[in-house]
Amino acid sequence: MSAASPWRPAPGPVVCVGETMAAMSPAPPDTLDSAESVRLSVAGAESNVAMYLADHGLPVSWLSAVGDDALGRRVREAVGEAGVDVTGVRTDPDRPTGLLLKDPGAEGTRVHYYRKGSAASALGPGVLDDDRLGGAALLHLTGVTPALSGSCRALVERALHAPPEERPHAVGFDVNHRAALWPPDTAPSVLGDLADRADITFVGLDEAQDLWGAGLTAADVRGLLSGPRILVVKDGGRGATAFTEDGACTVPALRTDVVEPVGAGDAFAAGFLAGLCRGAGLTRALRLGHITAASALRVVGDHGPLPDAAVIEALLGLTDEEWRERGQAPMS
């Protein structure tokens, strides 16, 4: 296939919609059981994407709701300080800001949610009437939102209701399966349907196997999700494959010293979208996804600093062989 000329969204601003919570976590190697103090940050799949898009220099807005409380003010300020337009974030006088607790451990990081009845869980289809979407080139959503409430699911369904050729903007969708948020046996069909209707869909191979079949390969996932113009299947630290109507393009991941993995998928999506929106071919967009993901892997929070622009350009300019060799050594 031609990895140089994929379909891509029209030039223009990006809008991300979804819940962001205050997040509390101990510093590794401490756990919640043993830590004497915790670090306060913010965590939300869609705002993570928005912040990294802003880091890459794209104009981006985040639409959501927070409570009229200190945590809500903290969330709005943190996302805004990253260069994201947060003027469309509503303050709910009656519902609180959601809260997330991270508990690092030897078997990985466990996440505990306290978001039932949160301000963002009351979001609905009316969010899509915001003026910012009138001039947007891309709307980005995730599978977290439809799990939060009936009105949130209606929001995502409305965004994906029209066929791609009839939409005023492209729609990106990251499956982002969070099993704890879904009633039993509902996520596979709902997320499969929504993912298949987006223009650009992201899914981890591991989560696809959890949702739709343990033995699935990346090519099998494309067989299940044939609708997206671009389907990106991420295979953890091994690599990622972008499927289009012309075929597949695979780029190995960079080897990175991992401090904490939560947020890396959002960072990857942002890097890939940033590359695509700026006219990059699939190889370059996938590389930018891996570079951005590495920034999240190296920090405790969801949002870490990108390498210098010169370092990014040097990595993007490597030959395929040089990229593979670079992937054998931890990225610093």
Side-chain angles (χ1 to χ4, degrees), residues 127-205:
V127 172
L128 301 176
D129 296 326
D130 189 280
D131 290 342
R132 291 161 188 80
L133 280 163
L138 174 68
L139 167 65
H140 183 72
L141 303 161
T142 81
V144 174
T145 300
L148 298 180
S149 67
S151 64
C152 283
R153 179 171 168 181
L155 184 167
V156 179
E157 289 178 340
R158 177 182 166 188
L160 291 166
H161 175 71
E165 60 274 11
E166 297 179 13
R167 295 174 190 151
H169 45 251
V171 181
F173 184 81
D174 192 331
V175 170
N176 236 324
H177 178 223
R178 299 290 180 264
L181 300 177
W182 288 92
D185 304 320
T186 58
S189 59
V190 174
L191 289 175
D193 175 62
L194 296 172
D196 202 36
R197 288 192 267 156
D199 295 282
I200 308 166
T201 292
F202 299 90
V203 64
L205 182 59

Side-chain angles (χ1 to χ4, degrees), residues 8-133:
R8 57 177 58 85
V14 180
V15 176
C16 300
V17 178
E19 179 172 37
T20 294
M21 299 161 287
M24 295 183 181
S25 59
D30 289 342
T31 66
L32 286 177
D33 293 296
S34 62
E36 294 185 1
S37 62
V38 295
R39 175 179 178 271
L40 179 62
S41 60
V42 302
E46 301 83 4
S47 63
N48 286 342
V49 172
M51 288 190 283
Y52 275 116
L53 287 173
D55 289 342
H56 283 296
L58 272 69
V60 57
S61 301
W62 170 56
L63 302 180
S64 189
V66 295
D68 187 12
D69 49 39
L71 295 181
R73 292 187 289 275
R74 182 76 172 254
V75 165
R76 188 197 303 267
E77 180 180 7
V79 179
E81 284 183 345
V84 178
D85 176 8
V86 296
T87 56
V89 177
R90 186 174 64 87
T91 298
D92 190 316
D94 302 314
R95 299 177 179 87
T97 304
L99 177 64
L100 174 154
L101 295 181
K102 290 183 180 180
D103 190 8
E107 303 300 318
T109 299
R110 297 182 61 192
V111 176
H112 307 277
Y113 297 112
Y114 299 88
R115 65 201 307 179
K116 185 175 182 180
S118 68
S121 72
L123 293 173
V127 172
L128 301 176
D129 296 326
D130 189 280
D131 290 342
R132 291 161 188 80
L133 280 163

